[in-house]
Amino acid sequence: MSAQQTKKFQQGERVIPAAAEKAPKYYQAEDDSQAKKVRKNQRPCKPRASLQPGTVLILLAGRFRGKRVVLLKNLAQGVLLVTGPFKVNGVPLRRVNARYVIATSTKVDISGIDSSVVEKVGGDAYFAREKKSKAKGEEAFFKQGEKPEAKKVASGRAEDQKTVDRAILASLKKEPFLISYLGSTFSLRSGDKPHEMVF
């Protein structure tokens, strides 16, 4: 309100608001979308107290769900480096999300594993996918109907697997029934109550 309008209002006269102060005739049907607020700093993930290297875990999701594996190392952002061992249950060296595992009370001595191999396997570059080369021309045209070639495991990865598994198998043989325990698959049957189970 201007000074003149305020004076008229105090005297009891009717005050007509200016054109700029009138309510708009058109309202938007939908609200404007607000920009999503992004948390700038990533907070470091704190692993659960039960997820210590050497602990036997049960995988709850993925290709190897139900398998029991040995935890080797806690990686960044809640990712775990685990192994079967491959010779016992067919689970290779792989990364799994910490949310999809159950930690058991069983421990395996992994002190004999070469720490440099674990450091190398724990890096992001180790699990990076190879880029596919797109072939163009006549060769690509004639290869369309053919079956894709089976992937071959790199010799370096196979050696790393054998190095890690050799040390774990040596400690597994000291404990009776531990190899058969890791080889068995976890599953729930009718009548089982997971909340009452002690792993």
Side-chain angles (χ1 to χ4, degrees):
M1 270 184 161
S2 62
Q4 193 177 2
Q5 286 175 332
T6 309
K7 192 176 181 183
K8 284 182 179 180
F9 181 75
Q10 288 171 349
Q11 291 172 355
E13 295 179 33
R14 189 175 171 210
V15 179
I16 300 168
E21 294 176 8
K22 282 185 180 178
K25 292 180 180 178
Y26 168 75
Y27 290 96
Q28 283 185 326
E30 295 177 8
D31 295 333
D32 290 331
S33 58
Q34 295 288 329
K36 192 176 181 181
K37 292 179 182 177
V38 181
R39 192 171 63 196
K40 288 185 179 178
N41 57 338
Q42 266 193 332
R43 295 184 186 130
C45 185
K46 189 179 178 184
R48 289 183 304 218
S50 57
L51 297 176
Q52 297 299 322
T55 306
V56 174
L57 309 175
I58 299 170
L59 301 181
L60 299 177
R63 183 180 166 194
F64 299 103
R65 61 181 170 274
K67 298 276 189 180
R68 292 179 170 94
V69 293
V70 179
L71 173 61
L72 298 176
K73 188 183 177 186
N74 285 303
L75 303 177
Q77 293 304 316
V79 181
L80 309 172
L81 179 66
V82 299
T83 185
F86 186 77
K87 198 173 181 180
V88 175
N89 56 20
V91 182
L93 284 163
R94 61 188 284 120
R95 297 180 299 181
V96 295
N97 193 327
R99 292 184 180 187
Y100 302 113
V101 297
I102 297 174
T104 66
S105 56
T106 310
K107 296 262 187 181
V108 176
D109 181 27
I110 59 167
S111 58
I113 298 174
D114 188 6
S115 57
S116 61
V117 176
V118 175
E119 285 295 323
K120 182 176 82 170
V121 174
D124 288 334
Y126 192 83
F127 291 99
R129 290 184 179 179
E130 294 177 5
K131 290 183 179 178
K132 293 181 181 178
S133 59
K134 292 184 179 179
K136 293 181 180 178
E138 290 180 18
E139 290 180 25
F141 179 77
F142 288 112
K143 283 185 178 179
Q144 283 179 351
E146 295 178 9
K147 290 182 179 179
E149 293 179 11
K151 284 186 179 179
K152 292 181 180 178
V153 179
S155 58
R157 292 187 82 156
E159 281 299 317
D160 294 338
Q161 183 73 57
K162 286 175 185 174
T163 306
V164 171
D165 286 0
R166 200 179 297 120
I168 293 175
L169 284 168
S171 59
L172 289 178
K173 286 172 183 174
K174 295 174 186 175
E175 293 283 333
F177 308 115
L178 198 51
I179 291 177
S180 58
Y181 173 70
L182 285 169
S184 63
T185 306
F186 172 80
S187 62
L188 291 172
R189 294 170 183 83
S190 60
D192 288 346
K193 298 174 180 176
H195 60 283
E196 292 181 359
M197 289 182 176
V198 178
F199 295 99

